């Protein structure tokens, strides 16, 4: 592996760890230090329900009920992009299953997109499978 490939691999792993840290600490304990550390000051938000900017995301999360929880699932990263399949619960009637997409520049998140849908219990799906599983723990 070349030095450039090693650097890229290291940056990709660091980006994945950053996303995991700021999502879990911000949503699960409303600890915003990781947001301040990993989001660019000019962060762009493409979600239809979250205001743009780092301050907008912080306020959005701060205003959520204390019962809100985020559970990470599969994390995929390539180049400057990190995508994470996760579950948000405690703020809506049904948990939301999401794919969050983050773009990094120079070690900071500069943009975010998401795709959200209500979670349907496995017993109510045509295939009978869970919509969300956590490969790290092997559970639904």
């Amino acid at each position: 592996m070349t030095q450039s490939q090693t650097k890229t691999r290291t940056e990709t792993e660091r980006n994945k760890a950053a996303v995991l840290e700021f999502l879990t600490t911000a949503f699960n304990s409303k600890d915003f230090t990781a947001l301040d550390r990993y989001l660019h000051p000019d962060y762009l938000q493409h979600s239809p329900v979250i205001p743009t900017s780092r301050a907008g995301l912080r306020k959005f999360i701060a205003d959520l009920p204390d019962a809100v929880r985020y559970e990470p699932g599969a994390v995929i990263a390539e180049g400057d992009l990190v995508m994470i399949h996760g579950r948000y619960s405690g703020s809506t009637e049904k948990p939301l299953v999401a794919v969050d997409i983050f773009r990094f520049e120079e070690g900071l998140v500069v943009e975010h997109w998401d795709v959200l849908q209500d979670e349907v219990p496995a017993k109510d799906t045509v295939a009978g499978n869970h919509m969300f599983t956590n490969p790290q723990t092997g559970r639904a």
Side-chain angles (χ1 to χ4, degrees):
M1 188 177 295
T2 68
Q3 187 175 14
S4 175
Q5 288 171 320
T6 301
K7 180 181 177 197
T8 300
R9 182 174 168 200
T10 302
E11 287 173 352
T12 301
E13 292 303 313
R14 185 183 66 230
N15 292 350
K16 286 169 60 174
V19 166
L20 281 167
E21 181 181 347
F22 78 71
L23 284 174
T24 56
T25 60
F27 281 94
N28 295 343
S29 61
K30 295 194 179 183
D31 175 353
F32 300 115
T33 56
L35 288 181
D36 296 337
R37 193 167 46 254
Y38 296 119
L39 299 185
H40 191 278
D42 297 324
Y43 168 76
L44 294 175
Q45 180 62 255
H46 297 281
S47 173
V49 298
I50 302 172
T52 200
S53 80
R54 185 168 60 187
L57 176 59
R58 184 183 190 128
K59 180 177 179 350
F60 175 81
I61 296 169
D63 290 345
L64 290 171
D66 288 340
V68 167
R69 291 293 171 263
Y70 176 75
E71 182 181 358
V75 183
I76 300 167
E78 184 172 328
D80 62 354
L81 296 174
V82 174
M83 294 191 303
I84 185 167
H85 188 228
R87 176 192 283 145
Y88 296 90
S89 59
S91 66
T92 56
E93 185 178 321
K94 296 179 181 180
L96 296 172
V97 176
V99 173
D100 287 286
I101 305 164
F102 300 92
R103 186 174 69 81
F104 281 76
E105 280 183 10
E106 299 177 8
L108 296 175
V109 175
V110 293
E111 287 186 272
H112 168 260
W113 300 261
D114 58 31
V115 181
L116 301 163
Q117 72 181 102
D118 290 343
E119 184 171 19
V120 177
K123 67 179 182 55
D124 295 333
T125 67
V126 173
N129 295 319
H130 294 279
M131 291 178 65
F132 176 80
T133 56
N134 186 334
Q136 289 85 12
T137 64
R139 65 182 182 86

